[in-house]
Amino acid sequence: MAANDELEDWQKAQKTEVWEPVPSKVTADPGQPPSDATVLFDGTDLSAWESVNGGAAKWTVEDGVLTVKPGAGDIKTKQSFCDVQLHVEWRAPKPEADMEGQERNNSGVFLQQRYEIQVLDSHESETYPNGQAASVYKQSIPLVNATRAPEQWQEYDIIFTAPRFDGDELTSPAYVTVLHNGVLVQHHYELKGKTEWIGAPAYEAHGCAPIQLQDHSNEVSFRNIWVREIKPLK
């Protein structure tokens, strides 16, 4: 083989070209889930969901929108997930005059039923910043507050890397990136463990698990929920 300095530039360039594996084709039409996504709610029914208490999910589905039925309890996906790209759109109703802080139409998106991205009307309402909209609840304050006004639809795009365990031992923590209405608000944040209302976070060993939506006694609505499982390129 000729020495590198005897090669033409295109031959030198070929040395760093990688032709396999070839990524599979995915269509991503505007306003539509990617073709390889699992659609969790398309506006028609709750067939992908169930109550965390067992049995059918009992939230309200009307005009293409899923709304918390206060007192019905949290709902979770029937399918379990590990590493994912998750898209969720949510809307807080107009607040009552006396609603402030965490009472201002609260819900949450729980990855693997343990790690919460807060859903809250944080447009013009004060609360502890590590509990406002798009926070990793009680762990990470969002980089900015991108919350739209109540009664407007909000978008979360979440990239989640699940924790890894060897038996009961944590070998790699969970990481999460969150875009709120297209704005980066959590940048590859390393989770310290399960998000907790009281006490410090800690990890407990687990495998893949469902996505959970919270009934916090407020009529928060959701639509266009889909997820893509992140798998190594083969």
Side-chain angles (χ1 to χ4, degrees):
M1 179 179 288
N4 195 62
D5 57 4
E6 297 176 1
L7 297 176
E8 299 287 342
D9 284 349
W10 65 269
Q11 293 174 310
K12 296 176 184 177
Q14 278 186 332
K15 290 187 174 184
T16 52
E17 293 173 0
V18 178
W19 286 76
E20 289 182 344
V22 177
S24 58
K25 175 65 176 176
V26 171
T27 58
D29 296 329
Q32 299 296 320
S35 59
D36 64 345
T38 298
V39 177
L40 299 176
F41 180 70
D42 65 359
T44 58
D45 59 46
L46 284 170
S47 58
W49 300 82
E50 60 188 359
S51 171
V52 296
N53 300 317
K58 297 180 180 179
W59 290 13
T60 303
V61 177
E62 186 174 358
D63 296 328
V65 174
L66 169 63
T67 302
V68 177
K69 184 177 181 180
D74 292 9
I75 63 174
K76 65 177 183 177
T77 58
K78 294 177 180 178
Q79 184 175 346
S80 292
F81 300 96
C82 282
D83 300 346
V84 295
Q85 173 189 352
L86 175 64
H87 177 85
V88 179
E89 297 176 21
W90 60 272
R91 180 180 66 189
K94 183 178 180 180
E96 301 294 333
D98 60 347
M99 282 183 172
E100 287 297 335
Q102 293 294 301
E103 296 180 354
R104 201 170 173 103
N105 293 311
N106 189 323
S107 184
V109 177
F110 286 79
L111 301 149
Q112 298 192 316
Q113 294 192 271
R114 295 167 173 82
Y115 312 108
E116 181 184 8
I117 305 303
Q118 175 73 305
V119 170
L120 188 71
D121 174 13
S122 297
H123 179 60
E124 292 181 347
S125 175
E126 291 186 2
T127 190
Y128 43 92
N130 66 347
Q132 73 178 61
S135 64
V136 178
Y137 186 69
K138 288 284 186 83
Q139 288 194 41
S140 179
I141 298 169
L143 298 172
V144 295
N145 183 352
T147 313
R148 294 171 181 154
E151 301 185 287
Q152 294 187 32
W153 284 102
Q154 321 267 349
E155 296 184 11
Y156 280 170
D157 289 287
I158 301 168
I159 311 299
F160 177 71
T161 302
R164 269 58 172 176
F165 301 89
D166 182 1
D168 292 332
E169 181 182 354
L170 177 71
T171 58
S172 180
Y175 293 90
V176 68
T177 293
V178 181
L179 283 83
H180 183 189
N181 296 326
V183 178
L184 181 66
V185 293
Q186 300 288 346
H187 187 202
H188 197 59
Y189 172 72
E190 179 183 322
L191 282 95
K192 309 309 179 191
K194 180 181 177 182
T195 52
E196 299 283 6
W197 179 41
I198 297 173
Y203 280 102
E204 56 182 18
H206 64 84
C208 299
I211 295 164
Q212 183 168 321
L213 300 179
Q214 185 182 39
D215 170 11
H216 202 278
S217 299
N218 299 126
E219 293 182 343
V220 177
S221 296
F222 297 87
R223 70 179 185 186
N224 298 336
I225 307 174
W226 54 261
V227 63
R228 294 180 65 248
E229 296 183 80
I230 302 172
K231 298 179 179 179
L233 184 63
K234 295 181 180 180

